[in-house]
Amino acid sequence: MMNERDDGTEAERTMISRAAVPTGPVDGTLVHALVQEADGTPIQRHPLDGTTLVVGRVAPAAIVLDGSAVSRRHCMLDRAGDQVTIMDLGSTNGTFVDGLRILQPVVLADGARIQVGPHTLRYERRRREEAHAAASLASDIAKARAYVNALLPPPITDGPVRAAWTFQPCASLGGDAFGYQREGDWFSAYILDVSGHGVGSAMHSVSVMNVMRQRALPGTDPREPASVLAALNDMFDMDKHHGMYFTMWYGVLHIPTRRLSYAAGGHHPALLHASGEPRALPGRGAGIGTMPGFPYRTATVDLPAEARLHLFSDGAVELAEDVQETWGMPQVTAALCGPGDWAQGPDRLYQRVRALSGQRPLDDDFSAITLQLG
Amino acid sequence: MKYELQAPTPGTCRVVLVGRADAAGVDLIETGLSAELRAKEGHVVIDLNQVPFMGSLGIRMLISIARLAARRGARIAMTGVQPQVLEVFETMALLDLIPHAPDAEAALALVAG
């Protein structure tokens, strides 16, 4: 349902504020905040310092959220001591607390999820020292997110192999990474997904990205996928890396012959889309770091002219339990390979995942890459 | 997610896992389960009949259990793997590390050697 149009000319936007770090002595007093999580952006923490706070689509609301489903003055939070109450301000589309539309003021419990249009805000009540730690962690995650983003390759818009991608890290960082590069007649690409979430997983993925970027696998031919995965498996044994492993797909294309060699280490198969029906390129192999000495195998396939290759991570396939039954590889394939601009395929898939998830923040990083030949 | 440890035969520990092995589920049990298994001896059978989903952290937990068993010279097997989970295990070649038996009796026979 859409909100009525306002006649003002003010620009709609999401107001981004820096993560608020609670100040004052560490004395055990409670700190109240609304935490805003959105894919691809750092966590925003809005402190409830005053007695009232208005959420709406335009200033002077203290928290400004964009979107036509958000009313100009949507809802208000009222703090009395350590009790916080929320009330709807006659919004068109309503205010929801833990999935239920509120019809009268409601006292918020710690962790309550407030839905305003497409946005979710979580009410958080913590001791000041805990809030300090949470703000510090959010800052570290934001820095790690920026670092991972800086290492990703730019899209390729011309040449024999073009590339487009969508990468949306989840709020806690899920350890996704990918890369590609051309060296003469050879074009290599990979995608990886580290087990677990958080700064540790992101650090692990960054380590692997740097190894791949710098071709820092001793005695390994980067044109031989199985040997690349075997070398990484040796280098990143999970017992030596805090129990973390990662799944990976790595492929190398010989551009003149269009012969693709690839190997998989526990990752989702790549999708090949040429003239006929899209098909998964089968691949079986241990997650990198899980089984010392695992014998990875290189498979080869000759690609037709103008073939497309799609790579993606868990975040594109594994959704929340309540929507997972309606989502799987057929739906992923349809979104990636459907009609329309090839370069929009990854974003089409992301928008489908977001819509199916009710615009909630995703639980895992989302990565999808499309490589277009010819 | 929940777990239960049983002793179906002398010298064998059966780990019954219940629930989705996603990040939240694994977080609930991993520390306690690891501590209890470290204090036990003998072979291990993991019963996955009641696990409809296995995420990367669930797989990591299984691999850690397998490595623990290997370090003390014990054998390990799984049983009751649901079809959608089995597909993930096959992609990851996990069955090379932890063999899958069709039922509880076969799993016990597998670890008994």
Side-chain angles (χ1 to χ4, degrees):
Chain A
M1 195 161 58
M2 300 290 285
N3 195 11
E4 77 276 11
R5 301 296 300 175
D6 296 304
D7 57 5
T9 56
E10 67 279 357
E12 294 183 355
R13 66 199 187 280
T14 297
M15 185 175 286
I16 303 296
S17 60
R18 67 186 171 81
V21 179
T23 56
V26 176
D27 57 5
T29 56
L30 292 175
V31 173
H32 305 258
L34 286 182
V35 180
Q36 184 180 355
E37 297 176 357
D39 297 337
T41 61
I43 292 173
Q44 302 295 310
R45 186 169 268 100
H46 307 276
L48 293 167
D49 290 334
T51 54
T52 63
L53 179 151
V54 172
V55 178
R57 184 157 48 86
V58 293
I63 298 179
V64 176
L65 304 173
D66 67 357
S68 58
V70 182
S71 293
R72 295 165 65 91
R73 284 168 49 84
H74 198 105
C75 61
M76 184 172 75
L77 291 102
D78 182 42
R79 179 180 159 195
D82 282 330
Q83 180 170 290
V84 174
T85 304
I86 186 169
M87 64 198 75
D88 188 77
L89 295 176
S91 69
T92 302
N93 294 308
T95 302
F96 296 79
V97 174
D98 291 333
L100 297 175
R101 185 168 185 165
I102 59 170
L103 303 175
Q104 55 192 7
V106 169
V107 175
L108 293 176
D110 184 26
R113 300 190 85 83
I114 302 161
Q115 191 81 32
V116 176
H119 306 277
T120 301
L121 301 163
R122 179 166 44 83
Y123 167 60
E124 188 179 271
R125 178 170 53 211
R126 290 183 174 175
R127 295 189 182 282
R128 187 177 297 277
E129 56 269 35
E130 292 170 342
H132 264 292
S136 176
L137 177 61
S139 173
D140 287 346
I141 286 176
K143 289 173 189 166
R145 182 197 315 269
Y147 187 32
V148 171
N149 269 309
L151 294 179
L152 297 177
I156 303 173
T157 55
D158 55 21
V161 184
R162 289 167 285 164
W165 50 262
T166 296
F167 172 63
Q168 293 289 347
C170 67
S172 58
L173 283 181
D176 279 11
F178 57 85
Y180 43 75
Q181 56 185 297
R182 183 181 174 184
E183 286 181 286
D185 285 341
W186 300 87
F187 185 94
S188 61
Y190 70 89
I191 184 168
L192 68 92
D193 187 349
V194 176
S195 61
H197 289 176
V199 174
S201 296
M203 287 170 64
H204 202 51
S205 67
V206 162
S207 299
V208 184
M209 287 173 91
N210 282 326
V211 166
M212 298 300 289
R213 277 155 52 98
Q214 296 163 16
R215 298 285 196 211
L217 290 170
T220 303
D221 182 351
R223 292 170 296 186
E224 180 43 60
S227 68
V228 170
L229 294 196
L232 289 169
N233 189 43
D234 182 49
M235 184 178 280
F236 290 97
D237 186 312
M238 63 187 281
D239 275 354
K240 298 171 186 165
H241 291 85
H242 199 55
M244 288 185 289
Y245 73 92
F246 55 96
T247 64
M248 188 172 193
W249 186 97
Y250 176 82
V252 186
L253 177 73
H254 184 237
I255 295 169
T257 60
R258 295 196 302 272
R259 170 159 287 193
L260 174 73
S261 303
Y262 68 93
H267 201 81
H268 296 284
L271 271 180
L272 171 60
H273 185 200
S275 52
E277 285 293 305
R279 68 181 177 98
L281 297 179
R284 174 186 177 276
I288 308 297
T290 62
M291 294 186 217
F294 184 86
Y296 294 93
R297 287 186 178 173
T298 295
T300 59
V301 58
D302 292 325
L303 304 183
E306 301 188 0
R308 288 176 202 165
L309 205 59
H310 304 282
L311 311 173
F312 45 87
S313 64
D314 279 352
V317 186
E318 296 172 2
L319 306 188
E321 185 177 7
D322 56 340
V323 294
Q324 184 68 72
E325 279 189 12
T326 61
W327 190 251
M329 281 308 298
Q331 290 75 24
V332 171
T333 304
L336 282 170
C337 304
D341 182 3
W342 71 270
Q344 296 302 314
D347 194 54
R348 271 199 305 274
L349 177 59
Y350 176 65
Q351 296 305 335
R352 292 281 304 277
V353 167
R354 286 281 288 155
L356 195 61
S357 303
Q359 306 298 331
R360 288 173 298 188
L362 300 180
D363 293 334
D364 199 358
D365 288 358
F366 175 99
S367 300
I369 305 137
T370 296
L371 303 174
Q372 171 73 60
L373 274 63
Chain B
M1 196 172 193
K2 296 184 296 186
Y3 70 90
E4 185 182 344
L5 300 186
Q6 302 170 348
T9 61
T12 301
C13 177
R14 178 190 287 144
V15 182
V16 181
L17 297 176
V18 180
R20 277 173 64 88
D22 54 15
V26 172
D27 193 45
L28 285 173
I29 66 164
E30 189 170 24
T31 303
L33 175 58
S34 296
E36 286 201 57
L37 281 178
R38 262 189 236 107
K40 291 194 177 296
E41 294 181 349
H43 306 310
V44 179
V45 170
I46 303 172
D47 184 334
L48 295 173
N49 269 296
Q50 298 171 80
V51 177
F53 173 82
M54 184 66 67
S56 64
L57 289 181
I59 291 168
R60 189 182 77 172
M61 181 170 70
L62 297 182
I63 294 170
S64 297
I65 294 172
R67 289 190 171 203
L68 175 67
R71 276 197 292 273
R72 64 185 187 213
R75 285 187 284 275
I76 185 167
M78 304 186 274
T79 186
V81 182
Q82 302 302 297
Q84 65 274 21
V85 175
L86 190 59
E87 195 177 328
V88 176
F89 287 176
E90 284 171 347
T91 300
M92 290 201 68
L94 194 67
L95 305 184
D96 291 11
L97 190 67
I98 311 175
H100 179 223
D103 54 47
E105 196 174 327
L108 288 175
L110 206 59
V111 296

